[in-house]
Amino acid sequence: MTTLGIIGAGHIGTALAQAATDIGYDVVLSNSRGPETLAGLVDALGDRPSRTGTVRAATPAEAAAAGDLVVVTVPLKAVDDVPVEPLAGKVVIDTNNYYPERDGHIAALDDETTTTAELLQAHLPRSRVVKAFNHIYAADITARRTPAGTPNRRALAIAGDDASAKETVASFIDELGFDVVDLGPLAEGWRIQRDTPGYGPDLDAGRLTEAVAAAKRYRDM
């Protein structure tokens, strides 16, 4: 049984906690406000009949240290608060999207000289960051799970600079109930950012591959 650390207990973090405990992962869930604020959520997740893994609340540093695999799902403006040392050497899933109205303007994202996942990778130089789960609605993480081989199975895109890390994340996504489309390195993560054809729609691997190929950078729109 593997432990999933989750930094950020919003919609995506909560959905991943539910989906992961359903398939036997132990989950350590955290937010910026403290473990005590997650008591109700932890009770709700733990009381589900479908749960086969455990769930507990912790601080972000504790979730980072406990996780064999760690998800960072926080507003982009909070990336600099993500603990660095406990994540050294670990595979880290980045679910973040850039919303200037929420995050404030970030020049390197406005001029598209970097991507959101590359910002997290720069903050976590000794971690192996993989982009995933940023283009699916939180409710669909639990509602659209299907077994491998299901016709028209929903697919999720990943991007990362480390092949082994991508294999780990692809395996996790498959366990959760989705096919995977590999975009290549982190720099290609822009192909699934907001306002691109693949952002949001429920697509199988073939159609998602077509959607990401058709993506245009904001500056080219």
Side-chain angles (χ1 to χ4, degrees):
M1 190 174 292
T2 300
T3 298
L4 180 70
I6 301 179
I7 299 174
H11 296 306
I12 294 291
T14 298
L16 286 173
Q18 178 178 334
T21 54
D22 282 349
I23 59 171
Y25 280 74
D26 291 329
V27 169
V28 182
L29 189 62
S30 68
N31 65 8
S32 62
R33 295 179 293 130
E36 64 281 358
T37 67
L38 295 172
L41 176 58
V42 167
D43 287 345
L45 290 170
D47 286 343
R48 293 173 304 106
S50 61
R51 177 189 59 80
T52 57
T54 65
V55 58
R56 65 181 176 89
T59 66
E62 290 166 342
D68 300 298
L69 177 65
V70 180
V71 177
V72 172
T73 180
V74 299
L76 196 60
K77 61 184 179 182
V79 160
D80 287 344
D81 296 329
V82 173
V84 176
E85 290 305 317
L87 293 173
K90 296 191 176 187
V91 177
V92 176
I93 297 175
D94 167 49
T95 78
N96 298 330
N97 288 301
Y98 177 42
Y99 296 100
E101 62 275 17
R102 177 196 67 186
D103 303 314
H105 281 279
I106 300 171
L109 295 177
D110 287 338
D111 64 21
E112 295 187 293
T113 56
T114 193
T115 63
T116 56
E118 287 175 294
L119 285 180
L120 182 61
Q121 182 67 82
H123 177 67
L124 303 173
R126 292 186 290 153
S127 303
R128 295 176 291 160
V129 173
V130 177
K131 189 73 178 182
F133 298 109
N134 71 300
H135 65 99
I136 181 172
Y137 295 114
D140 287 350
I141 292 174
T142 55
R144 290 291 293 126
R145 298 174 286 177
T146 55
T150 300
N152 302 314
R153 190 190 199 201
R154 179 155 189 179
L156 300 179
I158 64 171
D161 295 337
D162 184 285
S164 176
K166 286 197 290 186
E167 289 177 5
T168 295
V169 175
S171 177
F172 174 61
I173 291 172
D174 179 57
E175 285 184 88
L176 288 183
F178 303 92
D179 283 345
V180 175
V181 171
D182 187 348
L183 303 182
L186 284 179
E188 289 296 294
W190 68 268
R191 291 187 176 276
I192 202 66
Q193 66 191 1
R194 61 180 179 81
D195 301 326
T196 58
Y199 184 83
D202 188 330
L203 304 173
D204 63 16
R207 291 185 296 158
L208 182 57
T209 298
E210 293 173 355
V212 296
K216 296 181 182 293
R217 293 186 181 274
Y218 297 137
R219 61 174 176 261
D220 297 327
M221 290 181 178

